[in-house]
Amino acid sequence: MSEIKVTVVPVAKLDVDELESALGRVAKVVRRPVELRGAIELPRGTEDTTRAQHRAGTLLKALRKGLPRLKVVGHVGGEGRPVPEPEPDATIFVTDVDLYTAKTDGAMTVFQRGSKSGIISIRRMREAFYRRKADPNRQRARLAKEILRVVGTLGGLPVCSDPTCVQSETKALADIDRKDERWCATCWKRLSSGAFRL
Ligand SMILES: [Zn+2]
């Protein structure tokens, strides 16, 4: 079975306990520790100040440039001992700033297969965004599920038709909440056997 190497980078100010808690959940599912890098500063010039949002693709590209400078600060959860990983299967930036794309007014998760990287904004995963009472556990579950979806997508998995699988489509927050925090048996088999590895 091939192992899934996941690297996560917090962008600017982020609650580290909250992030690590979500990564612990991810590590359980991928059955391997998740590598955590030091925080990266928000680059200048990627914000559209009129809408107070960042263009996701531009931001992701700018962040990737800074990646080689970022030290590994730890490994979260999982089984077995971590080994040095020069080539992660998925590098995921997690940010609190709001994102948008050419196709959407607001985006939670954007990925680029070619660079095996993605960016996830927790802004719209927070109940506070919808003026509802905070629900930290639910927010961590949402982040963990979206990280798993990015890992699966970058690993080559197609969108899954099982609505409880993390690899099923995420159009809205309710789609994430409906999912289990795992891949369905078919997706896991494909991913862990490397059948769809790019
Ligand atoms: Zn599936």
Side-chain angles (χ1 to χ4, degrees):
M1 187 179 102
S2 57
E3 294 184 310
I4 303 158
K5 296 176 281 185
V6 182
T7 292
V8 171
V9 186
V11 181
K13 267 190 266 169
L14 215 58
D15 184 331
V16 175
D17 289 342
E18 195 178 301
L19 179 64
E20 287 195 6
S21 155
L23 299 189
R25 300 165 85 131
V26 170
K28 264 189 202 155
V29 182
V30 300
R31 301 178 190 176
R32 197 175 199 287
V34 173
E35 182 186 88
L36 179 64
R37 297 279 183 111
I40 187 167
E41 276 182 36
L42 201 58
R44 287 163 188 266
T46 62
E47 187 178 17
D48 182 333
T49 48
T50 55
R51 52 195 295 169
Q53 285 181 308
H54 292 253
R55 179 81 178 242
T58 315
L59 178 57
L60 179 55
K61 201 174 164 190
L63 290 170
R64 254 196 337 260
K65 277 188 198 157
L67 189 65
R69 287 186 283 109
L70 301 174
K71 289 201 176 103
V72 175
V73 294
H75 291 84
V76 184
E79 298 161 15
R81 218 181 295 164
V83 289
E85 294 161 11
E87 273 294 313
D89 296 312
T91 301
I92 300 165
F93 296 89
V94 178
T95 181
D96 191 21
V97 301
D98 202 20
L99 306 175
Y100 75 100
T101 66
K103 289 182 196 157
T104 59
D105 288 338
M108 282 187 282
T109 304
V110 172
F111 44 78
Q112 289 170 348
R113 280 199 178 86
S115 63
K116 291 198 271 185
S117 63
I119 183 162
I120 297 176
S121 168
I122 57 172
R123 181 70 65 99
R124 287 164 194 261
M125 292 182 189
R126 287 215 170 104
E127 290 296 286
F129 185 83
Y130 310 93
R131 298 201 164 87
R132 296 191 295 247
K133 192 169 169 277
D135 190 341
N137 188 51
R138 185 173 268 195
Q139 186 183 316
R140 285 166 202 189
R142 287 168 178 163
L143 176 58
K145 289 178 202 176
E146 281 298 274
I147 290 175
L148 291 170
R149 184 169 72 89
V150 174
V151 169
T153 307
L154 297 177
L157 286 181
V159 173
C160 182
S161 58
D162 176 351
T164 66
C165 174
V166 285
Q167 212 57 43
S168 63
E169 206 167 16
T170 299
K171 277 187 182 160
L173 203 59
D175 297 330
I176 304 178
D177 290 341
R178 193 192 52 224
K179 297 178 186 187
D180 291 335
E181 213 167 295
R182 55 165 186 77
W183 284 284
C184 70
T186 310
C187 286
W188 173 247
K189 200 175 165 193
R190 284 172 174 173
L191 188 66
S192 59
S193 67
F196 277 87
R197 198 56 58 88
L198 296 173

